[in-house]
Amino acid sequence: MVRDISTSVCGIKFRNPIIPASGTFGFGLEMADSMDLNLLGGISLKGTTAEPRYGNPTPRIAECEGGMLNSVGLQNPGIDRLTGEIVPSLRKVYGGVVIANISGFSEQEYALCCEKAAACEGIDMIELNISCPNVHGGGLAFGTDPRCAARVTAAARKAAGHKKLCVKLSPNVTDIVEIARACEAEGADALTLINTLLGMRINIATRKPVLANTTGGFSGRAIFPVALRMVWQVAHACSVPVIGCGGVGTAEDVIEMMMAGASAVQVGSENLRDPFCCPRIAAELPAVMERLGIEKLTEIIGTV
Amino acid sequence: MKQVNFIVRENVPIAADTWKLVLEGDCSAISGSGQFVQLSIPGVFLRRPFSVSDVQDGLLTIVYKVVGKGTRYMTALKEGDSVDTITGLGKGFHPQKTGRKALLIGGSVGTAPLLLLARELLAAGKEVEVALGFNTATLVFYKEEFEKLGLKVHLATVDGTAGLKGVVTEAIAPARGYDYYYCCGSKIMMKAVAAYLDTPGEFSMEERMGCGTGICYGCSIQTNNGPARVCADGPVFAKEDMIW
Ligand SMILES: Cc1cc2nc3c(=O)[nH]c(=O)nc-3n(C[C@H](O)[C@H](O)[C@H](O)COP(=O)(O)OP(=O)(O)OC[C@H]3O[C@@H](n4cnc5c(N)ncnc54)[C@H](O)[C@@H]3O)c2cc1C
Ligand SMILES: Cc1cc2nc3c(=O)[nH]c(=O)nc-3n(C[C@H](O)[C@H](O)[C@H](O)COP(=O)(O)O)c2cc1C
Ligand code: FES
């Protein structure tokens, strides 16, 4: 029997639910010579800000049991190059869903980037990364306070016009549902969760932090249960679709995320260990579905 | 870039804490010296990057120094074991930049990639001289391998237990007649070499890596051409591009 692995998120169709997560697959073009990008349901592009950014000093990468930490610090060429050069080039080789991941350090910056992304034909969806520190809010991340999250979502919603807007939530909060509801109320069409958990490592020989930035975002297989729990909570509390992200590395993980309530699934750190993992996971889905008696992937969304 | 499951043919110590790993498999993605591979090592999350030290007859040689968990696990690899590898990574050395004669400058385990480079230069009809710096005699490797290729090798050790006493610039001093150089070692060593030599040359840089394939931007450095990823835009950079 043919297994249907297509899905959709707020009206946007995906040929399969697999999306490389922002920051873990560059701008897609980096891999264009090494794989057929069209095997990917969507691509979430590297986080982009209004101006080009170099990011944090190195080392930017650390490791732990079952996962890793990063403090890349949003290195990117700026929104104008994204919309003017990168997305048009990507569109020449990629027909799936292109998701622009937008970051900012003020509401104005988010709004400006969203406006420019909305005007870019090749972008299908905007994903708002609200884990960035708010320079006008004492450096606290937008996504850790429901009022801040609501305000930045409202500003982005207005700037994004008709373009679909997805808000990517930070897990570094006490009540993820409260934040999710605040974003939904301000017009988010979908929610991605989760971003990285704040973490730290120390080199006990040098007695210094491993990361030059001291702390960084913890991701990878080890965070899967945290991500799954948050997807499950939010999917049951909100009516907008959820894109699950965090610790996914196998087709079984994808199915588990979808049972918890995800309509599509992002794969992050696993791309760093295996740049070919996304097409592999997509290719493995039908066999796992067959084993589990699933005909159509969308039939399992939120069934737990 | 290609994923290949290599088979271990040999994994032996060749100097103190320094091992040679010979892998058999599809080396077709490797275009030349200075490129590297990413090995998946059971027990650590991320792959580990190692320079291609030599490629001959379907055999890939890597020389690694045991510095932490991953490299310690690597010493347990046995003949016949399979190693999941991403090969053919990065932009390597440019042998064509040598006019008549090249100087190869290796610091410690940074000597590893210079062997394949020496072969390439010789095959292109260039003359080659080698300058190597190590901390102490027990760490020295590849001196004979270069000599077997007929090359003059200048050696220095910091404690003077082998060759000249001092850092790598002591080994560089007696070398003559080269118009281009290739350097691989620690950042401090390479910075010293860049300051010491007026001759044009290039450096193989090292940075803590995430992906090694150019998609995570974990390994960025600032260069005179703007930000560059060591893994994909390098690891080899021209002297004039470097900001030390
Ligand atoms: C392009 C490239 C080529 C390389 N080629 C070689 C090679 O041919 N032979 C070789 O022995 N090593 C090489 N290295 C370094 C090698 O990758 C590291 O030594 C190795 O990853 C350490 O793994 P570990 O798990 O043993 O150490 P960990 O437990 O991860 O770390 C132990 C110590 O090693 C240091 N370390 C870890 N990774 C790196 C790194 N990438 N660069 C510098 N220091 C590091 C850490 O600061 C720490 O103090 C290369 C690195 C790069 C980026
Ligand atoms: C190196 C790296 C860079 C990242 N950059 C971004 C980014 O720019 N924007 C963003 O929203 N998330 C970013 N993330 C977070 C991932 O998209 C993802 O949410 C997180 O890593 C959890 O998924 P995982 O466990 O599958 O990696 C980054 C993660 C990593 C590892
Ligand atoms: S290590 Fe990921 S871009 Fe270089």
Side-chain angles (χ1 to χ4, degrees):
Chain A
M1 186 197 292
V2 179
R3 308 279 154 176
D4 182 357
I5 62 168
S6 69
T7 187
S8 72
V9 178
C10 56
I12 298 177
K13 296 218 171 330
F14 290 73
R15 71 194 58 170
N16 69 56
I18 311 299
I19 308 164
S22 179
T24 65
F25 205 70
F27 295 98
L29 286 167
E30 291 89 338
M31 289 299 291
D33 291 339
S34 307
M35 71 160 74
D36 180 3
L37 293 179
N38 289 301
L39 299 171
L40 307 169
I43 303 177
S44 179
L45 308 179
K46 191 166 163 39
T48 304
T49 50
E51 298 298 324
R53 276 174 62 88
Y54 172 61
N56 288 322
T58 56
R60 295 175 172 184
I61 304 287
E63 215 182 22
C64 63
E65 287 299 322
M68 59 170 287
L69 291 86
N70 89 84
S71 59
V72 169
L74 290 170
Q75 180 178 345
N76 79 89
I79 187 73
D80 291 334
R81 271 199 56 204
L82 183 86
T83 56
E85 292 171 36
I86 296 170
V87 170
S89 304
L90 179 61
R91 267 303 173 214
K92 289 196 186 120
V93 292
Y94 182 59
V97 179
V98 171
I99 304 171
N101 183 277
I102 298 299
S103 297
F105 297 89
S106 66
E107 281 168 38
Q108 294 87 320
E109 184 175 4
Y110 278 106
L112 177 73
C113 292
C114 285
E115 203 178 306
K116 290 182 174 180
C120 177
E121 210 183 317
I123 294 171
D124 299 304
M125 188 189 249
I126 294 172
E127 184 176 62
L128 212 61
N129 168 15
I130 59 168
S131 297
C132 309
N134 179 358
V135 290
H136 302 308
L140 216 69
F142 288 93
T144 54
D145 174 60
R147 275 160 308 168
C148 268
R151 273 214 308 276
V152 72
T153 304
R157 172 74 283 162
K158 203 158 152 244
H162 296 299
K163 201 75 92 179
K164 294 293 179 191
L165 178 70
C166 177
V167 181
K168 182 169 176 182
L169 305 187
S170 164
N172 303 312
V173 297
T174 314
D175 184 358
I176 192 77
V177 169
E178 191 185 10
I179 308 267
R181 284 193 171 130
C183 297
E184 183 181 28
E186 292 302 335
D189 296 305
L191 300 166
T192 301
L193 40 145
I194 57 177
N195 211 311
T196 53
L197 294 136
L198 196 57
M200 177 172 168
R201 294 302 308 270
I202 291 170
N203 180 333
I204 58 172
T206 60
R207 305 186 182 200
K208 291 201 173 93
V210 174
L211 294 171
N213 195 48
T214 306
T215 61
F218 168 36
S219 61
R221 304 299 285 271
I223 74 166
F224 183 72
V226 178
L228 189 88
R229 183 263 297 176
M230 290 192 166
V231 165
W232 180 79
Q233 284 180 309
V234 168
H236 286 77
C238 296
S239 51
V240 292
V242 169
I243 302 176
C245 177
V248 174
T250 64
E252 283 85 353
D253 294 342
V254 171
I255 295 206
E256 199 173 331
M257 269 291 184
M258 294 185 78
M259 287 179 173
S263 296
V265 175
Q266 295 187 352
V267 180
S269 307
E270 198 63 13
N271 293 299
L272 275 60
R273 313 171 73 197
D274 174 4
F276 305 105
C277 73
C278 283
R280 176 178 50 76
I281 293 169
E284 282 168 3
L285 270 174
V288 177
M289 288 166 70
E290 186 170 338
R291 204 172 72 223
L292 298 170
I294 303 164
E295 271 175 44
K296 207 170 148 34
L297 207 46
T298 48
E299 81 195 21
I300 63 166
I301 297 171
T303 49
V304 174
Chain B
M1 181 198 315
K2 200 169 186 176
Q3 190 279 333
V4 178
N5 291 320
F6 280 97
I7 303 298
V8 175
R9 283 296 162 235
E10 200 185 350
N11 187 27
V12 290
I14 55 169
D17 292 331
T18 310
W19 290 59
K20 180 171 87 168
L21 176 65
V22 181
L23 300 167
E24 186 177 339
D26 176 2
C27 299
S28 63
I30 300 168
S31 61
S33 66
Q35 283 199 306
F36 67 100
V37 300
Q38 284 262 84
L39 304 188
S40 170
I41 304 159
V44 295
F45 188 75
L46 294 168
R47 287 171 190 265
R48 295 294 191 266
F50 297 95
S51 298
V52 171
S53 180
D54 207 357
V55 187
Q56 275 195 97
D57 314 319
L59 294 178
L60 163 66
T61 301
I62 284 158
V63 174
Y64 64 96
K65 188 148 184 211
V66 180
V67 296
K69 203 169 158 183
T71 45
R72 203 160 51 241
Y73 288 163
M74 280 168 68
T75 62
L77 288 170
K78 288 184 303 293
E79 192 182 344
D81 286 352
S82 175
V83 185
D84 170 352
T85 305
I86 311 279
T87 90
L89 296 171
K91 297 190 171 63
F93 292 117
H94 304 84
Q96 68 277 12
K97 289 215 176 150
T98 294
R100 195 181 60 83
K101 182 173 179 179
L103 178 64
L104 310 189
I105 307 165
S108 184
V109 76
T111 300
L114 303 181
L115 186 61
L116 179 59
L117 175 62
R119 257 189 238 295
E120 290 169 351
L121 286 161
L122 291 172
K126 317 279 184 186
E127 287 177 57
V128 181
E129 221 166 293
V130 183
L132 304 178
F134 292 89
N135 276 331
T136 186
T138 54
L139 292 169
V140 177
F141 68 94
Y142 269 6
K143 185 169 179 286
E144 289 80 29
E145 273 74 2
F146 288 114
E147 284 167 351
K148 268 185 230 151
L149 295 175
L151 307 182
K152 187 186 266 184
V153 179
H154 307 281
L155 176 68
T157 51
V158 172
D159 63 3
T161 46
L164 300 159
K165 182 172 161 61
V167 294
V168 74
T169 45
E170 296 297 324
I172 294 172
R176 289 287 174 271
Y178 51 91
D179 52 72
Y180 199 78
Y181 70 84
Y182 303 86
C183 181
C184 184
S186 69
K187 193 167 173 184
I188 305 165
M189 171 268 193
M190 294 195 285
K191 186 178 172 178
V193 169
Y196 181 73
L197 290 175
D198 290 330
T199 322
E202 53 194 53
F203 295 89
S204 180
M205 298 301 293
E206 207 180 293
E207 199 49 75
R208 182 61 80 97
M209 285 186 180
C211 64
T213 55
I215 54 180
C216 81
Y217 291 73
C219 65
S220 291
I221 56 168
Q222 287 283 21
T223 72
N224 289 319
N225 293 325
R229 295 158 301 170
V230 168
C231 70
D233 303 311
V236 174
F237 293 92
K239 178 182 169 179
E240 62 268 22
D241 294 340
M242 292 306 309
I243 300 172
W244 302 101

